[in-house]
Amino acid sequence: LKQLFGLIALIGAGLLVSGLYGQWQGIAERNEMRQRSQIATLAGATRNMMASQEMVLDLLGRQLLVDGLVDDSVAAVALLNRMLELNPTVAAYGLATPTGELLVRTSRSPGIPARERQTVLPETLESMHMRLGRPYLMESLDEWVVPVCMAIRDADGRVLGVMTASLRLQGPRPFFEEQSFLGETNTVQIVRESDLFPLHWAAAMAP
């Protein structure tokens, strides 16, 4: 009789463990699906935002350089300031020479940080697409921003200049929205593809 009770207890314990494991596995799979969905949504939103910023930089650069607006500094600054008002995701715009010297900028633009002249600027001159630099603190706003650069070329592919912008990580319209975070324990990190340098990371806000 004791052996029968022991066998029943062993079978019951096995069923309990199996049931608990099944529940844990189901919870883990659901959470993984939610995490994958979150990452896919954030990645898609980031790609769309990057593509739109690249298009804006290209259009601004061509209007300034190809159309000759850069020769009228007042009109050029007015154009950049007007675009800044329409695009609160951006903290500053600027147009630089291929060596990184600013030609025209919005009032609070600090220009291309010195370290970016050694890293992102050479990449920009070799690329047909917008390139991202490392985040830095813009002292005029006391905010962290991500510098981006886009080479503006003529019909023959020669670089005429470099359009720059500073994407806001904070402020009323940050580049990466808080709504993209899922759950109280999750941390979302976005890294630069070329060297895996972290561009932005955040977690759910504490109550």
Side-chain angles (χ1 to χ4, degrees), residues 137-149:
L137 182 65
M138 181 182 285
E139 295 182 356
S140 58
L141 286 180
D142 194 27
E143 288 185 16
W144 285 89
V145 297
V146 175
V148 295
C149 299

Side-chain angles (χ1 to χ4, degrees), residues 53-70 79-80 83 93-96 103-104 150-154 160-164:
Q53 295 300 332
E54 180 177 281
M55 183 181 301
V56 169
L57 288 184
D58 187 57
L59 291 174
L60 283 175
R62 293 192 177 282
Q63 189 166 358
L64 290 170
L65 289 168
V66 178
D67 296 344
L69 189 61
V70 70
L79 172 65
L80 295 184
M83 183 56 64
Y93 283 113
L95 173 65
L103 297 173
V104 61
M150 176 77 180
I152 308 302
R153 304 174 184 273
D154 63 14
L160 301 176
V162 177
M163 277 300 303
T164 69

Side-chain angles (χ1 to χ4, degrees), residues 3 6 9-10 14 20-21 27 45-46 54 74 89-90 101 105 109 111 129 133 140 149 155 179 184 192-193 202-203:
Q3 292 179 345
L10 182 61
L20 292 175
Y21 176 76
I27 292 172
T46 301
E54 180 177 281
V74 175
T89 300
V90 176
E101 299 300 323
R105 62 183 177 88
S109 173
H129 298 284
S140 58
C149 299
Q179 290 87 334
E184 297 180 356
R192 193 168 57 177
E193 182 180 10

Side-chain angles (χ1 to χ4, degrees), residues 22-58:
Q23 290 183 5
W24 174 84
Q25 192 173 35
I27 292 172
E29 290 177 353
R30 288 193 296 273
N31 285 335
E32 182 179 357
M33 290 180 61
R34 293 175 64 193
Q35 294 279 2
R36 289 182 180 274
S37 176
Q38 178 199 20
I39 292 174
T41 300
L42 180 59
T46 301
R47 282 193 297 268
N48 291 338
M49 178 64 75
M50 292 294 185
S52 66
Q53 295 300 332
E54 180 177 281
M55 183 181 301
V56 169
L57 288 184
D58 187 57

Side-chain angles (χ1 to χ4, degrees), residues 98-113:
T99 60
E101 299 300 323
L102 276 175
L103 297 173
V104 61
R105 62 183 177 88
T106 51
S107 57
R108 61 191 181 201
S109 173
I112 302 176

Side-chain angles (χ1 to χ4, degrees), residues 155-202:
D156 297 323
R158 292 188 295 267
V159 177
L160 301 176
V162 177
M163 277 300 303
T164 69
S166 301
L167 305 181
R168 305 178 74 167
L169 294 177
Q170 303 162 336
R173 288 289 302 276
F175 181 58
F176 302 110
E177 299 285 355
E178 295 288 343
Q179 290 87 334
S180 63
F181 310 135
L182 176 65
E184 297 180 356
T185 60
N186 289 358
T187 298
V188 175
Q189 186 176 50
I190 298 177
V191 299
R192 193 168 57 177
E193 182 180 10
S194 60
D195 57 3
L196 301 183
F197 188 88
L199 297 175
H200 184 57
W201 63 93

